Amino acid sequence: MLQHKTTAFFKPYLARSTISISKTINRMINSHKKYTASLIIFITLQFIAACNGEEVQPDISLFLPSNFPPPVYDISSNPITPEGFALGKKLFYDPILSRDSTIACGSCHIPFSSFSHVAHSVSHGIDDKLGTRNAPPVMNMLWHTTFFWDGGVHTLDLVPFNAIQNPVEMDENIANVYEKLRRQPTYRQLFTAAFGSEDINTQTFAKALSQFSLMLVSANSRYDKYIRNESGGELTAEELEGLALFKQKKCNTCHATDLFSDFSFRNNGIKEDLTVDKGRYLVTLNPDDMGRFKVPSLRNLSQTNPYMHDGSITTLEGVLEHYAEGVLLSETLDTLLQQPDGTLGIPMTSPEQAKIIVFLKTLNDIDFNKDPRFAE
Amino acid sequence: MKNLKFILVAILAFATVFSITSCEEEDESTPGPLTLHFENRAGSSTLNFGQAYNNEAGESLTFSTFNYYISNIKLKKADGTYYTVPKDSSYFLIDGEDNESHEITLNDVPGGDYVGFEFVLGVDSLKSASDIGQRTGVLDPAGAAQGMYWMWNSGYIFVKVEGTSPAVTEVDGHFFYHIGGYGGYSSPTINNLKNISLEAHNSEKASVSKDAHPEVHIYADVLEVFKSPNSLSVAQSPVVMFAPQSTDIANNYADMFSINHIHND
């Protein structure tokens, strides 16, 4: 009953998210140009490998960067295997997971955009929880303490159910998904290879998807190489100034560690009316959490625009301008964004803002975005 | 040698006889089954979906859903001690539409006389915050728990009541109460778990043994969701889900159960 209702209720939002998807596809085509060369090389290599009759076994050793804090996900509960990873990857890109077989996880979390996607609506499926949410990049999930902008889900393994059953996302019943998968001999084989049994259930399904998501580690930007003293890790004087400013302006209080998030929930002043999307409040019902959202990572920003949970800022210039002079006052606005003299935001000159942007671009990880192991 | 053999045989024979008699004597304390039968009620009558009943506010309600989770069952003996059902086999979903789910049969209950029992109405916080490996059976979000699980906070809906009423002017006259909230994973939030404690009346007791299968007949009155301590009007609040008001409703349903009678067959 409710199911039907909510679906009808969300029709306009569905339409909107379709528009966003086509936008993304356009963008994908554009970014394709950039990567055509490397793609061709990769495909060629694959052909050569295939001709030689070799199995192309991807390297599935988990990358644990030395500049990252200890992982959060208990990897011993779900050790990554080549078979589990391959199955997870197939599921991630298979639209069979959606009701009308049109949308895969990978339609919204696209490799060329660090597994993120332009703005589209999302909701908790019930009336008082409607919000327009931007798909965050699926990367470095191994270190996340909570999932979604409001941190509602506490383990990566439980994330896919939300997307699949959400009327504005895949709008499918999970039991149906299992049925559809069971009917395919390939999937029965893949599940057997990965988990020793062709039984497709909540545990094996979720663990396979997690294995794929966990492998999506982005930590090879120029900045990372600089921090780890690796070759290719040279930063220009301007970039280093930007890094210094990033710290001096206390961006790193919230965008902390080399994950660039402390995973806390904060209000950075993008809205005056906090009822549009109540954020963390929806999960805790604590009035102090109104309009607070999980601090996002700042990696691969060149691929993940638009920015913020609602996609309301489209450029990095816009983001820096926001912090400098666009911060809006509301009851839960973070105190770091309120100066002792009563002014709001973080005082920054235009040249300072420009330098911070130059630094942020050193966090783009080209290797990650075109890693053939992760692409469809 | 012969003597020794004789003594052994005698001991064996004695032991056998003794163990047979001891079985008979201790018959009462051998484990056996016990059934908890939940009957959904609307005040003084059995709840029938599609039929209209009045709540305390005088509104006419026709129900279509009445589901709830029962977990962590403990049985109280006449001597005041308790038997705790093993945690892993102590999660049940009573689904208003599925008659089979209304009977919870506990096996291997230690023999004895039981005069009451306790349970959690809902899925306890430990289980609610558990990892995927524990979400099986009635707790499987893709299986039995479908519709009783909030994907966006990985918590369960403890009590779900839905229906229609001419008093409701919104959403085609429907009302929806989806009540859950286990206290939160990393940050505290509402906790609508209720510890229920029921006593048998008129010195009735459920006598468990291997040859007897007592059945405790429990009433669950849906109209209690709408009253005491907080009168709930469907016209005023047709939809209550994960919101502060849900605690009022949880306080109402905390007393919706009672033991009606016990069969000892």
Side-chain angles (χ1 to χ4, degrees), chain A residues 106-135:
Chain A
S107 317
C108 291
H109 303 286
I110 303 163
F112 291 113
S113 27
S114 293
F115 299 88
S116 80
H117 174 46
V118 285
H120 69 97
S121 337
V122 117
S123 89
H124 289 150
I126 57 174
D127 42 324
D128 56 338
K129 298 189 190 317
L130 177 71
T132 309
R133 299 235 180 120
N134 189 5

Side-chain angles (χ1 to χ4, degrees), chain A residues 127-316:
Chain A
D127 42 324
D128 56 338
K129 298 189 190 317
L130 177 71
T132 309
R133 299 235 180 120
N134 189 5
V138 177
M139 66 176 174
N140 300 339
M141 290 290 125
L142 191 58
W143 289 270
H144 276 230
T145 49
T146 58
F147 301 86
F148 299 115
W149 282 101
D150 54 22
V153 171
H154 62 80
T155 149
L156 179 65
D157 298 336
L158 290 166
V159 165
F161 304 110
N162 200 342
I164 293 171
Q165 217 140 288
N166 196 313
V168 295
E169 293 190 5
M170 302 169 114
D171 192 23
E172 175 61 298
N173 164 319
I174 305 160
N176 274 353
V177 171
Y178 298 166
E179 264 321 302
K180 286 193 278 183
L181 296 175
R182 282 179 195 127
R183 267 183 252 131
Q184 294 201 6
T186 343
Y187 271 114
R188 292 204 298 271
Q189 276 161 20
L190 289 170
F191 273 89
T192 310
F195 299 105
S197 151
E198 61 170 47
D199 189 18
I200 297 174
N201 59 38
T202 293
Q203 283 67 37
T204 51
F205 175 77
K207 284 185 171 179
L209 271 171
S210 288
Q211 288 194 26
F212 178 70
S213 303
L214 288 167
M215 280 290 290
L216 303 173
V217 176
S218 175
N220 270 334
S221 66
R222 211 142 46 75
Y223 166 83
D224 292 297
K225 292 176 184 164
Y226 163 79
I227 290 290
R228 296 195 299 255
N229 269 321
E230 289 168 9
S231 67
E234 286 76 39
L235 297 192
T236 65
E238 203 190 6
E239 288 164 347
L240 287 169
E241 273 178 68
L243 169 58
L245 282 165
F246 183 79
K247 294 177 179 165
Q248 190 193 321
K249 301 293 178 186
K250 300 205 171 75
C251 307
N252 68 338
T253 319
C254 305
H255 300 286
T257 77
D258 281 355
L259 291 160
F260 294 91
S261 173
D262 64 354
F263 300 113
S264 64
F265 300 88
R266 315 258 195 163
N267 172 352
N268 72 342
I270 58 170
K271 283 244 164 64
E272 248 164 347
D273 178 3
L274 305 180
T275 60
V276 178
D277 185 338
K278 298 174 186 164
R280 183 67 176 159
Y281 172 87
L282 296 171
V283 175
T284 65
L285 300 177
N286 176 353
D288 294 341
D289 284 336
M290 272 289 226
R292 289 183 186 231
F293 293 88
K294 188 168 70 177
V295 175
S297 161
L298 301 179
R299 294 180 164 273
N300 298 310
L301 288 171
S302 295
Q303 273 87 32
T304 60
N305 66 310
Y307 306 110
M308 308 302 168
H309 73 272
D310 56 356
S312 58
I313 304 184
T314 50
T315 62
L316 286 178

Side-chain angles (χ1 to χ4, degrees), chain B residues 27-46:
Chain B
D27 202 12
E28 212 196 28
S29 63
T30 54
L34 176 119
T35 293
L36 304 176
H37 184 148
F38 288 85
E39 180 181 336
N40 289 340
R41 307 276 298 179
S44 55
S45 42
T46 299

Side-chain angles (χ1 to χ4, degrees), chain A residues 1-2 5 77 123-129 145-146 148 150-155 157-158 161-163 165 172-175 178 201-203 206-207 265 280-286 289, chain B residues 64 128-136 140-143 146-147 149-155 160 162 164 171-172 174 176 178 182 184-190 239 241-244 246:
Chain A
M1 204 50 134
L2 185 62
K5 274 219 158 38
S77 72
S123 89
H124 289 150
I126 57 174
D127 42 324
D128 56 338
K129 298 189 190 317
T145 49
T146 58
F148 299 115
D150 54 22
V153 171
H154 62 80
T155 149
D157 298 336
L158 290 166
F161 304 110
N162 200 342
Q165 217 140 288
E172 175 61 298
N173 164 319
I174 305 160
Y178 298 166
N201 59 38
T202 293
Q203 283 67 37
K207 284 185 171 179
F265 300 88
R280 183 67 176 159
Y281 172 87
L282 296 171
V283 175
T284 65
L285 300 177
N286 176 353
D289 284 336
Chain B
S64 56
S128 289
S130 68
D131 62 33
I132 192 115
Q134 300 206 32
R135 302 191 186 239
T136 54
D140 185 345
Q146 195 141 25
Y149 175 76
W150 281 319
M151 306 285 164
W152 53 271
N153 78 353
S154 8
K160 185 172 183 175
E162 295 178 349
T164 54
V171 278
D172 292 338
H174 286 86
F176 303 100
H178 296 182
Y182 62 89
Y185 182 73
S186 47
S187 319
T189 183
I190 52 170
V239 182
M241 294 181 180
F242 193 68
S246 68

Side-chain angles (χ1 to χ4, degrees), chain A residues 32-76:
Chain A
H32 256 97
K33 283 182 202 140
K34 276 191 236 158
Y35 298 117
T36 314
S38 44
L39 257 180
I40 289 174
I41 294 173
F42 170 67
I43 292 168
T44 319
L45 282 176
Q46 267 203 327
F47 266 107
I48 294 170
C51 291
N52 289 346
E54 281 172 33
E55 277 245 350
V56 204
Q57 267 287 17
D59 173 14
I60 54 96
S61 51
L62 197 53
F63 177 27
L64 298 175
S66 57
N67 53 324
F68 277 17
V72 172
Y73 186 95
D74 176 13
I75 201 76
S76 69

Side-chain angles (χ1 to χ4, degrees), chain B residues 74-85:
Chain B
K74 278 165 81 177
L75 305 176
K76 188 181 177 188
K77 283 199 180 141
D79 65 6
T81 59
Y82 285 90
Y83 164 67
T84 305
V85 175

